[in-house]
Amino acid sequence: MNSEKYKEFVTQEMKKEKYIVYNSNVEINDLYSLEFHQKNKNVEDIMRFNKLNDFILSIDQRICRRINKKEIVFKKDKLKNIMSMVITKHEGLKIFMLNEIWIIQVWIFHI
C-alpha cells in the first residue's frame, strides 16, 4: 500500500470516479432514451404513453421503469415484469400486462 505504483493506481481510479453521475430517480433505469421510442410516432400515442407512465410510476414506490431497445418495461421490485409497452407507428400503443393488474387496465380505458 505504501508503494508508488499503488498510489498511482489509486489516483487513476479516483479520476475515473470523478465524472460519474448517478441517477437520483431510482424508479427509472433506462438503457435507451424515451426519444428512441418516440421518434416518428403519432403525437396522440406519445401523450397517452406520458399519461400512463406518470400514473404507473405514481401508483407505488416499488414499481420502476426500464427502457430496452424493443419495449418499455415496468417492473415491480426490479424483478418481476408487470407491464410492457411498445409505441407503434400506425397501431397506437401495444400494452402487455399481467392479469393481476386490473386497476391499471380499468384506468387505461378511460384515457
Side-chain angles (χ1 to χ4, degrees):
M1 289 179 59
N2 293 329
S3 68
E4 288 297 318
K5 206 172 197 183
Y6 179 75
K7 290 178 182 178
E8 288 177 25
F9 172 75
V10 169
T11 55
Q12 288 176 354
E13 291 299 312
M14 294 299 281
K15 285 179 185 177
K16 289 179 188 176
E17 303 248 341
K18 186 177 181 180
Y19 300 106
I20 293 177
V21 177
Y22 293 100
N23 187 357
S24 61
N25 190 350
V26 293
E27 294 176 348
I28 299 173
N29 186 8
D30 298 337
L31 299 175
Y32 291 84
S33 66
L34 270 176
E35 289 81 27
F36 179 79
H37 286 280
Q38 295 176 347
K39 188 178 0 173
N40 300 327
K41 303 297 177 15
N42 189 357
V43 176
E44 292 178 11
D45 295 333
I46 293 171
M47 290 173 50
R48 284 187 189 120
F49 168 77
N50 289 334
K51 284 183 186 179
L52 281 172
N53 181 48
D54 294 339
F55 176 72
I56 293 167
L57 291 176
S58 69
I59 291 174
D60 191 359
Q61 293 293 326
R62 296 168 56 189
I63 297 176
C64 63
R65 182 188 78 203
R66 185 174 184 99
I67 298 179
N68 298 327
K69 187 172 185 177
K70 294 183 180 181
E71 61 191 359
I72 302 163
V73 180
F74 293 90
K75 296 181 173 226
K76 186 171 186 179
D77 296 329
K78 296 186 180 182
L79 298 173
K80 186 176 185 182
N81 289 354
I82 57 172
M83 181 179 203
S84 65
M85 286 189 218
V86 177
I87 305 172
T88 62
K89 278 190 177 181
H90 305 291
E91 298 176 22
L93 283 174
K94 287 187 178 179
I95 301 172
F96 307 95
M97 65 180 77
L98 294 176
N99 291 332
E100 303 166 2
I101 316 202
W102 60 273
I103 296 171
I104 296 175
Q105 289 175 346
V106 171
W107 191 81
I108 287 172
F109 292 114
H110 293 289
I111 293 181

